[in-house]
PDB file of all heavy atoms in Angstrom:
ATOM      1  N   LEU A  17    -121.666 -79.109 -27.849  1.00 98.00           N
ATOM      2  CA  LEU A  17    -120.607 -79.670 -28.629  1.00 98.00           C
ATOM      3  C   LEU A  17    -119.730 -78.627 -29.295  1.00 98.00           C
ATOM      4  O   LEU A  17    -118.507 -78.723 -29.277  1.00 98.00           O
ATOM      5  CB  LEU A  17    -121.138 -80.620 -29.706  1.00 98.00           C
ATOM      6  CG  LEU A  17    -121.926 -81.867 -29.267  1.00 98.00           C
ATOM      7  CD1 LEU A  17    -122.301 -82.713 -30.484  1.00 98.00           C
ATOM      8  CD2 LEU A  17    -121.188 -82.609 -28.230  1.00 98.00           C
ATOM      9  N   SER A  18    -120.385 -77.565 -29.797  1.00 98.00           N
ATOM     10  CA  SER A  18    -119.665 -76.462 -30.441  1.00 98.00           C
ATOM     11  C   SER A  18    -118.694 -75.835 -29.456  1.00 98.00           C
ATOM     12  O   SER A  18    -117.557 -75.531 -29.823  1.00 98.00           O
ATOM     13  CB  SER A  18    -120.624 -75.465 -30.987  1.00 98.00           C
ATOM     14  OG  SER A  18    -119.926 -74.399 -31.576  1.00 98.00           O
ATOM     15  N   TRP A  19    -119.159 -75.575 -28.266  1.00 98.00           N
ATOM     16  CA  TRP A  19    -118.273 -74.944 -27.248  1.00 98.00           C
ATOM     17  C   TRP A  19    -117.126 -75.845 -26.904  1.00 98.00           C
ATOM     18  O   TRP A  19    -115.951 -75.317 -26.839  1.00 98.00           O
ATOM     19  CB  TRP A  19    -119.116 -74.585 -25.997  1.00 98.00           C
ATOM     20  CG  TRP A  19    -118.261 -73.765 -25.024  1.00 98.00           C
ATOM     21  CD1 TRP A  19    -118.198 -72.449 -24.963  1.00 98.00           C
ATOM     22  CD2 TRP A  19    -117.364 -74.315 -24.030  1.00 98.00           C
ATOM     23  NE1 TRP A  19    -117.322 -72.056 -23.943  1.00 98.00           N
ATOM     24  CE2 TRP A  19    -116.794 -73.204 -23.379  1.00 98.00           C
ATOM     25  CE3 TRP A  19    -116.993 -75.566 -23.659  1.00 98.00           C
ATOM     26  CZ2 TRP A  19    -115.873 -73.344 -22.313  1.00 98.00           C
ATOM     27  CZ3 TRP A  19    -116.056 -75.755 -22.628  1.00 98.00           C
ATOM     28  CH2 TRP A  19    -115.490 -74.632 -21.990  1.00 98.00           C
ATOM     29  N   LEU A  20    -117.371 -77.090 -26.688  1.00 98.00           N
ATOM     30  CA  LEU A  20    -116.234 -77.990 -26.379  1.00 98.00           C
ATOM     31  C   LEU A  20    -115.252 -78.073 -27.511  1.00 98.00           C
ATOM     32  O   LEU A  20    -114.005 -78.040 -27.234  1.00 98.00           O
ATOM     33  CB  LEU A  20    -116.825 -79.392 -26.107  1.00 98.00           C
ATOM     34  CG  LEU A  20    -117.681 -79.564 -24.871  1.00 98.00           C
ATOM     35  CD1 LEU A  20    -118.399 -80.907 -24.848  1.00 98.00           C
ATOM     36  CD2 LEU A  20    -116.853 -79.396 -23.561  1.00 98.00           C
ATOM     37  N   GLU A  21    -115.664 -78.135 -28.748  1.00 98.00           N
ATOM     38  CA  GLU A  21    -114.795 -78.206 -29.842  1.00 98.00           C
ATOM     39  C   GLU A  21    -114.000 -76.934 -29.996  1.00 98.00           C
ATOM     40  O   GLU A  21    -112.762 -76.950 -30.212  1.00 98.00           O
ATOM     41  CB  GLU A  21    -115.547 -78.451 -31.151  1.00 98.00           C
ATOM     42  CG  GLU A  21    -116.147 -79.865 -31.206  1.00 98.00           C
ATOM     43  CD  GLU A  21    -117.169 -80.022 -32.326  1.00 98.00           C
ATOM     44  OE1 GLU A  21    -117.494 -79.015 -32.979  1.00 98.00           O
ATOM     45  OE2 GLU A  21    -117.661 -81.179 -32.513  1.00 98.00           O
ATOM     46  N   ASN A  22    -114.633 -75.800 -29.758  1.00 98.00           N
ATOM     47  CA  ASN A  22    -113.959 -74.461 -29.917  1.00 98.00           C
ATOM     48  C   ASN A  22    -112.978 -74.274 -28.806  1.00 98.00           C
ATOM     49  O   ASN A  22    -112.017 -73.415 -28.932  1.00 98.00           O
ATOM     50  CB  ASN A  22    -114.977 -73.357 -29.860  1.00 98.00           C
ATOM     51  CG  ASN A  22    -115.766 -73.258 -31.098  1.00 98.00           C
ATOM     52  OD1 ASN A  22    -115.397 -73.769 -32.160  1.00 98.00           O
ATOM     53  ND2 ASN A  22    -116.993 -72.617 -31.048  1.00 98.00           N
ATOM     54  N   ASN A  23    -113.073 -75.019 -27.742  1.00 98.00           N
ATOM     55  CA  ASN A  23    -112.144 -74.867 -26.614  1.00 98.00           C
ATOM     56  C   ASN A  23    -111.238 -76.094 -26.423  1.00 98.00           C
ATOM     57  O   ASN A  23    -110.661 -76.251 -25.341  1.00 98.00           O
ATOM     58  CB  ASN A  23    -112.911 -74.564 -25.311  1.00 98.00           C
ATOM     59  CG  ASN A  23    -113.508 -73.147 -25.306  1.00 98.00           C
ATOM     60  OD1 ASN A  23    -112.805 -72.203 -24.989  1.00 98.00           O
ATOM     61  ND2 ASN A  23    -114.772 -73.080 -25.660  1.00 98.00           N
ATOM     62  N   ALA A  24    -111.153 -76.870 -27.421  1.00 98.00           N
ATOM     63  CA  ALA A  24    -110.203 -78.005 -27.535  1.00 98.00           C
ATOM     64  C   ALA A  24    -110.335 -79.019 -26.401  1.00 98.00           C
ATOM     65  O   ALA A  24    -109.376 -79.552 -25.901  1.00 98.00           O
ATOM     66  CB  ALA A  24    -108.744 -77.453 -27.574  1.00 98.00           C
ATOM     67  N   ILE A  25    -111.597 -79.258 -26.018  1.00 98.00           N
ATOM     68  CA  ILE A  25    -111.897 -80.305 -25.056  1.00 98.00           C
ATOM     69  C   ILE A  25    -112.563 -81.474 -25.796  1.00 98.00           C
ATOM     70  O   ILE A  25    -113.583 -81.287 -26.456  1.00 98.00           O
ATOM     71  CB  ILE A  25    -112.815 -79.775 -23.958  1.00 98.00           C
ATOM     72  CG1 ILE A  25    -112.200 -78.610 -23.186  1.00 98.00           C
ATOM     73  CG2 ILE A  25    -113.238 -80.916 -22.989  1.00 98.00           C
ATOM     74  CD1 ILE A  25    -113.096 -77.990 -22.178  1.00 98.00           C
ATOM     75  N   GLN A  26    -111.948 -82.618 -25.698  1.00 98.00           N
ATOM     76  CA  GLN A  26    -112.558 -83.772 -26.363  1.00 98.00           C
ATOM     77  C   GLN A  26    -113.829 -84.210 -25.549  1.00 98.00           C
ATOM     78  O   GLN A  26    -113.956 -83.942 -24.359  1.00 98.00           O
ATOM     79  CB  GLN A  26    -111.574 -84.972 -26.365  1.00 98.00           C
ATOM     80  CG  GLN A  26    -110.399 -84.731 -27.305  1.00 98.00           C
ATOM     81  CD  GLN A  26    -109.818 -86.113 -27.717  1.00 98.00           C
ATOM     82  OE1 GLN A  26    -110.443 -86.961 -28.353  1.00 98.00           O
ATOM     83  NE2 GLN A  26    -108.565 -86.337 -27.325  1.00 98.00           N
ATOM     84  N   TYR A  27    -114.748 -84.886 -26.234  1.00 98.00           N
ATOM     85  CA  TYR A  27    -115.879 -85.422 -25.669  1.00 98.00           C
ATOM     86  C   TYR A  27    -116.144 -86.811 -26.100  1.00 98.00           C
ATOM     87  O   TYR A  27    -115.781 -87.192 -27.248  1.00 98.00           O
ATOM     88  CB  TYR A  27    -117.147 -84.503 -25.866  1.00 98.00           C
ATOM     89  CG  TYR A  27    -117.477 -84.248 -27.279  1.00 98.00           C
ATOM     90  CD1 TYR A  27    -118.216 -85.120 -28.037  1.00 98.00           C
ATOM     91  CD2 TYR A  27    -116.945 -83.088 -27.865  1.00 98.00           C
ATOM     92  CE1 TYR A  27    -118.497 -84.823 -29.395  1.00 98.00           C
ATOM     93  CE2 TYR A  27    -117.230 -82.811 -29.192  1.00 98.00           C
ATOM     94  CZ  TYR A  27    -118.017 -83.696 -29.945  1.00 98.00           C
ATOM     95  OH  TYR A  27    -118.333 -83.402 -31.267  1.00 98.00           O
ATOM     96  N   VAL A  28    -116.838 -87.607 -25.294  1.00 98.00           N
ATOM     97  CA  VAL A  28    -117.088 -89.030 -25.601  1.00 98.00           C
ATOM     98  C   VAL A  28    -118.481 -89.360 -25.083  1.00 98.00           C
ATOM     99  O   VAL A  28    -118.976 -88.791 -24.130  1.00 98.00           O
ATOM    100  CB  VAL A  28    -116.011 -89.933 -24.953  1.00 98.00           C
ATOM    101  CG1 VAL A  28    -116.066 -89.903 -23.467  1.00 98.00           C
ATOM    102  CG2 VAL A  28    -116.138 -91.368 -25.448  1.00 98.00           C
ATOM    103  N   GLY A  29    -119.171 -90.268 -25.801  1.00 98.00           N
ATOM    104  CA  GLY A  29    -120.472 -90.706 -25.326  1.00 98.00           C
ATOM    105  C   GLY A  29    -121.669 -89.832 -25.766  1.00 98.00           C
ATOM    106  O   GLY A  29    -122.797 -90.122 -25.425  1.00 98.00           O
ATOM    107  N   GLY A  30    -121.389 -88.810 -26.579  1.00 98.00           N
ATOM    108  CA  GLY A  30    -122.446 -87.946 -27.065  1.00 98.00           C
ATOM    109  C   GLY A  30    -122.096 -87.426 -28.420  1.00 98.00           C
ATOM    110  O   GLY A  30    -120.875 -87.354 -28.767  1.00 98.00           O
ATOM    111  N   GLY A  31    -123.064 -86.995 -29.197  1.00 98.00           N
ATOM    112  CA  GLY A  31    -122.774 -86.468 -30.514  1.00 98.00           C
ATOM    113  C   GLY A  31    -124.025 -86.084 -31.294  1.00 98.00           C
ATOM    114  O   GLY A  31    -125.132 -86.191 -30.793  1.00 98.00           O
ATOM    115  N   LEU A  32    -123.814 -85.583 -32.497  1.00 98.00           N
ATOM    116  CA  LEU A  32    -124.940 -85.139 -33.333  1.00 98.00           C
ATOM    117  C   LEU A  32    -125.694 -86.332 -33.958  1.00 98.00           C
ATOM    118  O   LEU A  32    -126.753 -86.080 -34.474  1.00 98.00           O
ATOM    119  CB  LEU A  32    -124.394 -84.211 -34.452  1.00 98.00           C
ATOM    120  CG  LEU A  32    -123.740 -82.924 -33.966  1.00 98.00           C
ATOM    121  CD1 LEU A  32    -123.222 -82.107 -35.094  1.00 98.00           C
ATOM    122  CD2 LEU A  32    -124.728 -82.091 -33.134  1.00 98.00           C
ATOM    123  N   ASN A  33    -125.128 -87.483 -33.851  1.00 98.00           N
ATOM    124  CA  ASN A  33    -125.752 -88.672 -34.393  1.00 98.00           C
ATOM    125  C   ASN A  33    -125.216 -89.916 -33.709  1.00 98.00           C
ATOM    126  O   ASN A  33    -124.274 -89.788 -32.918  1.00 98.00           O
ATOM    127  CB  ASN A  33    -125.653 -88.790 -35.950  1.00 98.00           C
ATOM    128  CG  ASN A  33    -124.216 -88.649 -36.358  1.00 98.00           C
ATOM    129  OD1 ASN A  33    -123.366 -89.424 -35.918  1.00 98.00           O
ATOM    130  ND2 ASN A  33    -123.888 -87.720 -37.223  1.00 98.00           N
ATOM    131  N   ARG A  34    -125.797 -91.098 -34.026  1.00 98.00           N
ATOM    132  CA  ARG A  34    -125.373 -92.304 -33.340  1.00 98.00           C
ATOM    133  C   ARG A  34    -123.876 -92.580 -33.550  1.00 98.00           C
ATOM    134  O   ARG A  34    -123.137 -92.923 -32.592  1.00 98.00           O
ATOM    135  CB  ARG A  34    -126.173 -93.460 -33.886  1.00 98.00           C
ATOM    136  CG  ARG A  34    -125.770 -94.787 -33.253  1.00 98.00           C
ATOM    137  CD  ARG A  34    -126.587 -95.947 -33.821  1.00 98.00           C
ATOM    138  NE  ARG A  34    -127.983 -95.992 -33.385  1.00 98.00           N
ATOM    139  CZ  ARG A  34    -128.970 -95.783 -34.220  1.00 98.00           C
ATOM    140  NH1 ARG A  34    -128.849 -95.490 -35.486  1.00 98.00           N
ATOM    141  NH2 ARG A  34    -130.225 -95.829 -33.720  1.00 98.00           N
ATOM    142  N   ALA A  35    -123.390 -92.453 -34.779  1.00 98.00           N
ATOM    143  CA  ALA A  35    -121.966 -92.793 -35.036  1.00 98.00           C
ATOM    144  C   ALA A  35    -121.047 -91.900 -34.194  1.00 98.00           C
ATOM    145  O   ALA A  35    -120.044 -92.356 -33.664  1.00 98.00           O
ATOM    146  CB  ALA A  35    -121.664 -92.636 -36.528  1.00 98.00           C
ATOM    147  N   GLU A  36    -121.309 -90.606 -34.145  1.00 98.00           N
ATOM    148  CA  GLU A  36    -120.505 -89.708 -33.417  1.00 98.00           C
ATOM    149  C   GLU A  36    -120.597 -89.996 -31.906  1.00 98.00           C
ATOM    150  O   GLU A  36    -119.557 -89.899 -31.177  1.00 98.00           O
ATOM    151  CB  GLU A  36    -120.872 -88.239 -33.705  1.00 98.00           C
ATOM    152  CG  GLU A  36    -119.971 -87.260 -33.080  1.00 98.00           C
ATOM    153  CD  GLU A  36    -120.306 -85.807 -33.503  1.00 98.00           C
ATOM    154  OE1 GLU A  36    -120.196 -85.560 -34.685  1.00 98.00           O
ATOM    155  OE2 GLU A  36    -120.665 -85.043 -32.651  1.00 98.00           O
ATOM    156  N   ALA A  37    -121.767 -90.311 -31.380  1.00 98.00           N
ATOM    157  CA  ALA A  37    -121.940 -90.517 -30.008  1.00 98.00           C
ATOM    158  C   ALA A  37    -121.233 -91.809 -29.521  1.00 98.00           C
ATOM    159  O   ALA A  37    -120.780 -91.859 -28.398  1.00 98.00           O
ATOM    160  CB  ALA A  37    -123.468 -90.635 -29.623  1.00 98.00           C
ATOM    161  N   ARG A  38    -121.100 -92.762 -30.410  1.00 98.00           N
ATOM    162  CA  ARG A  38    -120.503 -94.047 -30.016  1.00 98.00           C
ATOM    163  C   ARG A  38    -119.012 -94.050 -30.350  1.00 98.00           C
ATOM    164  O   ARG A  38    -118.323 -95.114 -30.131  1.00 98.00           O
ATOM    165  CB  ARG A  38    -121.234 -95.179 -30.722  1.00 98.00           C
ATOM    166  CG  ARG A  38    -122.694 -95.250 -30.352  1.00 98.00           C
ATOM    167  CD  ARG A  38    -123.309 -96.570 -30.859  1.00 98.00           C
ATOM    168  NE  ARG A  38    -122.932 -97.661 -29.945  1.00 98.00           N
ATOM    169  CZ  ARG A  38    -123.624 -98.089 -28.883  1.00 98.00           C
ATOM    170  NH1 ARG A  38    -124.746 -97.491 -28.543  1.00 98.00           N
ATOM    171  NH2 ARG A  38    -123.214 -99.097 -28.201  1.00 98.00           N
ATOM    172  N   LYS A  39    -118.483 -93.019 -30.871  1.00 98.00           N
ATOM    173  CA  LYS A  39    -117.085 -93.006 -31.277  1.00 98.00           C
ATOM    174  C   LYS A  39    -116.128 -93.020 -30.080  1.00 98.00           C
ATOM    175  O   LYS A  39    -116.286 -92.228 -29.164  1.00 98.00           O
ATOM    176  CB  LYS A  39    -116.786 -91.780 -32.131  1.00 98.00           C
ATOM    177  CG  LYS A  39    -115.358 -91.725 -32.683  1.00 98.00           C
ATOM    178  CD  LYS A  39    -115.152 -90.465 -33.571  1.00 98.00           C
ATOM    179  CE  LYS A  39    -113.751 -90.408 -34.060  1.00 98.00           C
ATOM    180  NZ  LYS A  39    -113.545 -89.211 -34.951  1.00 98.00           N
ATOM    181  N   ALA A  40    -115.130 -93.886 -30.076  1.00 98.00           N
ATOM    182  CA  ALA A  40    -114.159 -93.892 -29.058  1.00 98.00           C
ATOM    183  C   ALA A  40    -113.242 -92.719 -29.214  1.00 98.00           C
ATOM    184  O   ALA A  40    -113.012 -92.204 -30.342  1.00 98.00           O
ATOM    185  CB  ALA A  40    -113.352 -95.220 -29.094  1.00 98.00           C
ATOM    186  N   ARG A  41    -112.695 -92.230 -28.086  1.00 98.00           N
ATOM    187  CA  ARG A  41    -111.747 -91.096 -28.092  1.00 98.00           C
ATOM    188  C   ARG A  41    -110.462 -91.548 -27.469  1.00 98.00           C
ATOM    189  O   ARG A  41    -110.408 -92.376 -26.571  1.00 98.00           O
ATOM    190  CB  ARG A  41    -112.311 -89.908 -27.364  1.00 98.00           C
ATOM    191  CG  ARG A  41    -113.684 -89.469 -27.839  1.00 98.00           C
ATOM    192  CD  ARG A  41    -113.634 -88.767 -29.203  1.00 98.00           C
ATOM    193  NE  ARG A  41    -114.931 -88.395 -29.636  1.00 98.00           N
ATOM    194  CZ  ARG A  41    -115.192 -87.659 -30.775  1.00 98.00           C
ATOM    195  NH1 ARG A  41    -114.169 -87.331 -31.488  1.00 98.00           N
ATOM    196  NH2 ARG A  41    -116.448 -87.355 -31.057  1.00 98.00           N
ATOM    197  N   ILE A  42    -109.350 -90.994 -27.938  1.00 98.00           N
ATOM    198  CA  ILE A  42    -108.018 -91.362 -27.376  1.00 98.00           C
ATOM    199  C   ILE A  42    -107.318 -90.019 -26.991  1.00 98.00           C
ATOM    200  O   ILE A  42    -107.202 -89.069 -27.790  1.00 98.00           O
ATOM    201  CB  ILE A  42    -107.161 -92.068 -28.415  1.00 98.00           C
ATOM    202  CG1 ILE A  42    -107.777 -93.451 -28.613  1.00 98.00           C
ATOM    203  CG2 ILE A  42    -105.740 -92.219 -27.893  1.00 98.00           C
ATOM    204  CD1 ILE A  42    -107.057 -94.334 -29.603  1.00 98.00           C
ATOM    205  N   VAL A  43    -106.858 -89.949 -25.768  1.00 98.00           N
ATOM    206  CA  VAL A  43    -106.025 -88.850 -25.257  1.00 98.00           C
ATOM    207  C   VAL A  43    -104.625 -89.398 -25.124  1.00 98.00           C
ATOM    208  O   VAL A  43    -104.399 -90.429 -24.471  1.00 98.00           O
ATOM    209  CB  VAL A  43    -106.546 -88.348 -23.898  1.00 98.00           C
ATOM    210  CG1 VAL A  43    -105.553 -87.300 -23.325  1.00 98.00           C
ATOM    211  CG2 VAL A  43    -107.964 -87.808 -24.017  1.00 98.00           C
ATOM    212  N   GLU A  44    -103.657 -88.830 -25.816  1.00 97.00           N
ATOM    213  CA  GLU A  44    -102.287 -89.219 -25.754  1.00 97.00           C
ATOM    214  C   GLU A  44    -101.500 -88.327 -24.849  1.00 97.00           C
ATOM    215  O   GLU A  44    -101.496 -87.100 -24.976  1.00 97.00           O
ATOM    216  CB  GLU A  44    -101.701 -89.284 -27.150  1.00 97.00           C
ATOM    217  CG  GLU A  44    -100.287 -89.939 -27.145  1.00 97.00           C
ATOM    218  CD  GLU A  44     -99.802 -90.299 -28.594  1.00 97.00           C
ATOM    219  OE1 GLU A  44    -100.706 -90.528 -29.446  1.00 97.00           O
ATOM    220  OE2 GLU A  44     -98.557 -90.351 -28.771  1.00 97.00           O
ATOM    221  N   LYS A  45    -100.754 -88.924 -23.899  1.00 97.00           N
ATOM    222  CA  LYS A  45     -99.904 -88.160 -23.000  1.00 97.00           C
ATOM    223  C   LYS A  45     -98.602 -88.915 -22.842  1.00 97.00           C
ATOM    224  O   LYS A  45     -98.634 -90.095 -22.424  1.00 97.00           O
ATOM    225  CB  LYS A  45    -100.703 -87.987 -21.685  1.00 97.00           C
ATOM    226  CG  LYS A  45    -100.036 -86.991 -20.728  1.00 97.00           C
ATOM    227  CD  LYS A  45    -100.168 -85.541 -21.246  1.00 97.00           C
ATOM    228  CE  LYS A  45    -101.626 -85.054 -21.229  1.00 97.00           C
ATOM    229  NZ  LYS A  45    -101.732 -83.623 -21.450  1.00 97.00           N
ATOM    230  N   GLN A  46     -97.510 -88.232 -23.070  1.00 96.00           N
ATOM    231  CA  GLN A  46     -96.192 -88.828 -22.930  1.00 96.00           C
ATOM    232  C   GLN A  46     -96.041 -90.161 -23.688  1.00 96.00           C
ATOM    233  O   GLN A  46     -95.451 -91.165 -23.251  1.00 96.00           O
ATOM    234  CB  GLN A  46     -95.809 -89.014 -21.451  1.00 96.00           C
ATOM    235  CG  GLN A  46     -95.739 -87.750 -20.680  1.00 96.00           C
ATOM    236  CD  GLN A  46     -95.263 -87.988 -19.245  1.00 96.00           C
ATOM    237  OE1 GLN A  46     -94.578 -88.935 -18.895  1.00 96.00           O
ATOM    238  NE2 GLN A  46     -95.737 -87.100 -18.347  1.00 96.00           N
ATOM    239  N   GLY A  47     -96.704 -90.184 -24.852  1.00 95.00           N
ATOM    240  CA  GLY A  47     -96.616 -91.381 -25.736  1.00 95.00           C
ATOM    241  C   GLY A  47     -97.550 -92.469 -25.297  1.00 95.00           C
ATOM    242  O   GLY A  47     -97.635 -93.558 -25.975  1.00 95.00           O
ATOM    243  N   ILE A  48     -98.380 -92.253 -24.265  1.00 97.00           N
ATOM    244  CA  ILE A  48     -99.304 -93.292 -23.761  1.00 97.00           C
ATOM    245  C   ILE A  48    -100.675 -92.964 -24.313  1.00 97.00           C
ATOM    246  O   ILE A  48    -101.142 -91.864 -24.221  1.00 97.00           O
ATOM    247  CB  ILE A  48     -99.380 -93.373 -22.224  1.00 97.00           C
ATOM    248  CG1 ILE A  48     -97.998 -93.615 -21.662  1.00 97.00           C
ATOM    249  CG2 ILE A  48    -100.384 -94.416 -21.791  1.00 97.00           C
ATOM    250  CD1 ILE A  48     -97.935 -93.451 -20.126  1.00 97.00           C
ATOM    251  N   ARG A  49    -101.272 -93.949 -24.987  1.00 98.00           N
ATOM    252  CA  ARG A  49    -102.595 -93.723 -25.616  1.00 98.00           C
ATOM    253  C   ARG A  49    -103.703 -94.220 -24.609  1.00 98.00           C
ATOM    254  O   ARG A  49    -103.798 -95.419 -24.305  1.00 98.00           O
ATOM    255  CB  ARG A  49    -102.723 -94.515 -26.937  1.00 98.00           C
ATOM    256  CG  ARG A  49    -101.687 -94.083 -27.994  1.00 98.00           C
ATOM    257  CD  ARG A  49    -101.631 -95.077 -29.134  1.00 98.00           C
ATOM    258  NE  ARG A  49    -101.227 -96.359 -28.609  1.00 98.00           N
ATOM    259  CZ  ARG A  49    -101.371 -97.522 -29.276  1.00 98.00           C
ATOM    260  NH1 ARG A  49    -101.954 -97.489 -30.520  1.00 98.00           N
ATOM    261  NH2 ARG A  49    -100.996 -98.656 -28.789  1.00 98.00           N
ATOM    262  N   ILE A  50    -104.458 -93.267 -24.120  1.00 98.00           N
ATOM    263  CA  ILE A  50    -105.520 -93.553 -23.182  1.00 98.00           C
ATOM    264  C   ILE A  50    -106.872 -93.487 -23.849  1.00 98.00           C
ATOM    265  O   ILE A  50    -107.319 -92.472 -24.342  1.00 98.00           O
ATOM    266  CB  ILE A  50    -105.490 -92.595 -21.991  1.00 98.00           C
ATOM    267  CG1 ILE A  50    -104.085 -92.459 -21.380  1.00 98.00           C
ATOM    268  CG2 ILE A  50    -106.514 -92.920 -20.920  1.00 98.00           C
ATOM    269  CD1 ILE A  50    -103.919 -91.356 -20.420  1.00 98.00           C
ATOM    270  N   GLY A  51    -107.556 -94.652 -24.010  1.00 98.00           N
ATOM    271  CA  GLY A  51    -108.750 -94.767 -24.769  1.00 98.00           C
ATOM    272  C   GLY A  51    -109.922 -94.534 -23.785  1.00 98.00           C
ATOM    273  O   GLY A  51    -109.953 -95.002 -22.659  1.00 98.00           O
ATOM    274  N   PHE A  52    -111.034 -93.902 -24.349  1.00 98.00           N
ATOM    275  CA  PHE A  52    -112.238 -93.648 -23.579  1.00 98.00           C
ATOM    276  C   PHE A  52    -113.487 -94.101 -24.357  1.00 98.00           C
ATOM    277  O   PHE A  52    -113.586 -93.780 -25.534  1.00 98.00           O
ATOM    278  CB  PHE A  52    -112.378 -92.171 -23.262  1.00 98.00           C
ATOM    279  CG  PHE A  52    -111.388 -91.632 -22.279  1.00 98.00           C
ATOM    280  CD1 PHE A  52    -110.161 -91.192 -22.720  1.00 98.00           C
ATOM    281  CD2 PHE A  52    -111.696 -91.556 -20.953  1.00 98.00           C
ATOM    282  CE1 PHE A  52    -109.241 -90.692 -21.799  1.00 98.00           C
ATOM    283  CE2 PHE A  52    -110.778 -91.035 -20.019  1.00 98.00           C
ATOM    284  CZ  PHE A  52    -109.542 -90.568 -20.471  1.00 98.00           C
ATOM    285  N   LEU A  53    -114.361 -94.821 -23.675  1.00 99.00           N
ATOM    286  CA  LEU A  53    -115.732 -95.048 -24.130  1.00 99.00           C
ATOM    287  C   LEU A  53    -116.713 -94.659 -23.073  1.00 99.00           C
ATOM    288  O   LEU A  53    -116.381 -94.674 -21.865  1.00 99.00           O
ATOM    289  CB  LEU A  53    -115.901 -96.548 -24.508  1.00 99.00           C
ATOM    290  CG  LEU A  53    -115.267 -97.006 -25.796  1.00 99.00           C
ATOM    291  CD1 LEU A  53    -115.242 -98.531 -25.855  1.00 99.00           C
ATOM    292  CD2 LEU A  53    -115.968 -96.486 -27.038  1.00 99.00           C
ATOM    293  N   SER A  54    -117.932 -94.383 -23.445  1.00 98.00           N
ATOM    294  CA  SER A  54    -118.885 -93.907 -22.471  1.00 98.00           C
ATOM    295  C   SER A  54    -120.333 -94.230 -22.855  1.00 98.00           C
ATOM    296  O   SER A  54    -120.661 -94.053 -24.063  1.00 98.00           O
ATOM    297  CB  SER A  54    -118.809 -92.378 -22.272  1.00 98.00           C
ATOM    298  OG  SER A  54    -119.623 -91.927 -21.248  1.00 98.00           O
ATOM    299  N   TYR A  55    -121.163 -94.671 -21.906  1.00 98.00           N
ATOM    300  CA  TYR A  55    -122.521 -95.115 -22.251  1.00 98.00           C
ATOM    301  C   TYR A  55    -123.455 -94.679 -21.116  1.00 98.00           C
ATOM    302  O   TYR A  55    -123.132 -94.729 -19.922  1.00 98.00           O
ATOM    303  CB  TYR A  55    -122.586 -96.610 -22.376  1.00 98.00           C
ATOM    304  CG  TYR A  55    -121.692 -97.171 -23.406  1.00 98.00           C
ATOM    305  CD1 TYR A  55    -120.393 -97.572 -23.074  1.00 98.00           C
ATOM    306  CD2 TYR A  55    -122.053 -97.252 -24.723  1.00 98.00           C
ATOM    307  CE1 TYR A  55    -119.493 -98.027 -24.045  1.00 98.00           C
ATOM    308  CE2 TYR A  55    -121.121 -97.750 -25.717  1.00 98.00           C
ATOM    309  CZ  TYR A  55    -119.905 -98.134 -25.364  1.00 98.00           C
ATOM    310  OH  TYR A  55    -119.047 -98.631 -26.312  1.00 98.00           O
ATOM    311  N   ASN A  56    -124.676 -94.265 -21.493  1.00 98.00           N
ATOM    312  CA  ASN A  56    -125.759 -94.022 -20.541  1.00 98.00           C
ATOM    313  C   ASN A  56    -126.556 -95.306 -20.369  1.00 98.00           C
ATOM    314  O   ASN A  56    -127.052 -95.912 -21.326  1.00 98.00           O
ATOM    315  CB  ASN A  56    -126.641 -92.922 -21.128  1.00 98.00           C
ATOM    316  CG  ASN A  56    -127.875 -92.659 -20.225  1.00 98.00           C
ATOM    317  OD1 ASN A  56    -127.825 -92.842 -19.024  1.00 98.00           O
ATOM    318  ND2 ASN A  56    -128.968 -92.300 -20.887  1.00 98.00           N
ATOM    319  N   CYS A  57    -126.774 -95.685 -19.142  1.00 98.00           N
ATOM    320  CA  CYS A  57    -127.550 -96.923 -18.819  1.00 98.00           C
ATOM    321  C   CYS A  57    -128.892 -96.603 -18.186  1.00 98.00           C
ATOM    322  O   CYS A  57    -129.553 -97.512 -17.668  1.00 98.00           O
ATOM    323  CB  CYS A  57    -126.683 -97.843 -17.911  1.00 98.00           C
ATOM    324  SG  CYS A  57    -125.105 -98.206 -18.488  1.00 98.00           S
ATOM    325  N   THR A  58    -129.274 -95.360 -18.115  1.00 98.00           N
ATOM    326  CA  THR A  58    -130.365 -94.918 -17.269  1.00 98.00           C
ATOM    327  C   THR A  58    -131.614 -94.519 -18.086  1.00 98.00           C
ATOM    328  O   THR A  58    -132.637 -94.277 -17.540  1.00 98.00           O
ATOM    329  CB  THR A  58    -129.997 -93.819 -16.365  1.00 98.00           C
ATOM    330  OG1 THR A  58    -129.709 -92.634 -17.084  1.00 98.00           O
ATOM    331  CG2 THR A  58    -128.781 -94.177 -15.489  1.00 98.00           C
ATOM    332  N   GLY A  59    -131.496 -94.424 -19.424  1.00 96.00           N
ATOM    333  CA  GLY A  59    -132.613 -93.924 -20.202  1.00 96.00           C
ATOM    334  C   GLY A  59    -132.789 -92.418 -19.936  1.00 96.00           C
ATOM    335  O   GLY A  59    -131.850 -91.789 -19.413  1.00 96.00           O
TER     336      GLY A  59
END
């Protein structure tokens, strides 16, 4: 996570705790808001 943050790459579906891991992310491009959610279904 530290490397991704230091290199300005957003991440979704993972984090230091439950709230961070489940947080939705939005990438905005040309005024379009693209939302991302991500889940592991495999254990």
Side-chain angles (χ1 to χ4, degrees):
L17 299 185
S18 178
W19 187 91
L20 292 169
E21 291 167 356
N22 290 339
N23 288 278
I25 299 174
Q26 289 203 65
Y27 55 86
V28 64
L32 297 179
N33 52 56
R34 179 184 286 112
E36 187 175 297
R38 302 191 74 93
K39 183 178 179 180
R41 305 289 179 174
I42 293 178
V43 174
E44 187 165 335
K45 193 70 66 170
Q46 297 183 29
I48 302 171
R49 299 167 301 164
I50 307 169
F52 291 86
L53 285 167
S54 184
Y55 304 90
N56 174 34
C57 306
T58 67

